[in-house]
Structure formats: C-alpha cells, structure tokens
C-alpha cells in the first residue's frame, strides 16, 4: 500500500510543482508529444499528474478496503487514472479555449464603428481606432470626403490588413 500512496503523493506534488513553476516542466514531454500530433496534448503535465495520483490513491483505497494484492490494486487504479487523465485533459482544453473561435479576419471589420484619431483628408489616409476581437486597433483609413479628428465612422471596406475605407456616421 505504501507504493500506491507514494504514487498518489508524487502525482499531487508533480501537479503542485507544475503550478508553482508555471511551465518549467512542460518541456519534459515535448519530445514525446511531438510524434506527429499522436497524443495532441494528452501528455501535458496536469494530465500525467492526474493519472499518476489517481492510480496511486485508487490503488491504495482498493488495497486498504478490500485487501486485494498489488495486482488487484493496479487493476482498480489504472482505469481510475485513465478516467482522471481524460477528465483533466477535457477540462484543461475547455479552460484554454476562450470561446471566441477563429481569429478575426479583415472582412470582420465591415460594419464596425470607430473614431477618427488622425484627420482623414479627401485624397489621403488618416487613422481610425476600431475594436477587433475585443481589442482596440488603430488602422490607416481613407474616406471619399474629409473627416475630422474625433468623428464617428463606419468601416465600409477592408483595403488590407492595416487599412480600411470608412464613411462618416451621420446622426
């Protein structure tokens, strides 16, 4: 039973160390995890720590409560460890996914409102501040008519990744 308790404690310590040192130990499994995406994050440190600790604690509980030997405790501990590793993997994927989907493209700006931060001359470029993916972004902007600083504008067209065509919002 001591071996199983040791595995459980080692898994918890491994998880605690990975949290304290925040990514220092992530390189341990980098060579294995790079096998053409075969594991796709399955060998992350939290997943391994969850597996190891659950194998140890479930095996110790099985040994202590039923009196089975090491083989029986392993038979109970490994499926519990696999289940815990799977839950850890799914939870970590859910936490890392911010829900915004794909990164915004230039066409996503069409119809967005913004404000002019540098005057836009009739035949040249000025600058506008718009929100892209929830973040303020300053872009080069041109307009068919001159637009003064501070005016509210709508994005009509994306000219490039850093330039847009705008029109004045008339209220």
């Amino acid at each position: 039973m001591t071996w199983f308790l040791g595995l459980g404690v080692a898994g918890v310590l491994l998880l605690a160390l990975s949290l304290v040192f925040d990514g220092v130990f992530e390189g341990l499994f980098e060579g294995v995890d790079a096998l053409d995406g075969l594991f796709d994050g399955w060998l992350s440190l939290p997943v391994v720590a969850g597996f190891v600790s659950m194998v140890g604690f479930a095996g110790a509980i099985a040994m202590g409560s039923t009196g089975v030997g090491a083989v029986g405790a392993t038979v109970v501990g490994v499926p519990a460890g696999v289940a815990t590793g799977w839950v850890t993997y799914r939870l970590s994927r859910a936490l890392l996914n911010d829900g915004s989907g794909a990164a915004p493209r230039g066409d996503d700006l069409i119809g967005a409102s913004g404000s002019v931060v540098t005057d836009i001359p009739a035949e040249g470029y000025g600058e506008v501040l718009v929100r892209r993916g929830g973040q303020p972004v300053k872009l080069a902007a041109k307009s068919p008519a001159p637009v003064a600083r501070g005016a509210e504008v709508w994005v009509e067209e994306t000219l490039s990744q850093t330039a847009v065509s705008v029109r004045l919002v008339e209220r």
Side-chain angles (χ1 to χ4, degrees), residues 8-93:
V9 170
V12 171
L13 288 176
L14 185 62
L15 181 60
L17 286 175
S18 72
L19 292 173
V20 168
F21 292 111
D22 192 28
V24 171
F25 295 118
E26 285 296 325
L28 291 175
F29 301 110
E30 189 172 314
V32 177
D33 207 14
L35 296 173
D36 296 328
L38 179 64
F39 296 107
D40 193 29
W42 280 99
L43 289 180
S44 68
L45 213 48
V47 172
V48 171
F51 172 79
V52 169
S53 63
M54 187 53 74
V55 167
F57 289 135
I61 290 170
M63 264 185 142
S65 63
T66 63
V68 297
V71 173
T74 303
V75 168
V76 170
V78 169
V82 169
T84 301
W86 180 81
V87 168
T88 305
Y89 171 75
R90 298 298 295 169
L91 286 174
S92 64
R93 295 285 292 205

Side-chain angles (χ1 to χ4, degrees), residues 109 125-126 132 137-141 158-164:
L109 288 174
Y125 283 89
R132 184 178 200 172
V137 177
K138 188 167 37 167
L139 299 167
T158 54
L159 304 173
S160 72
Q161 288 189 357
T162 59
V164 293

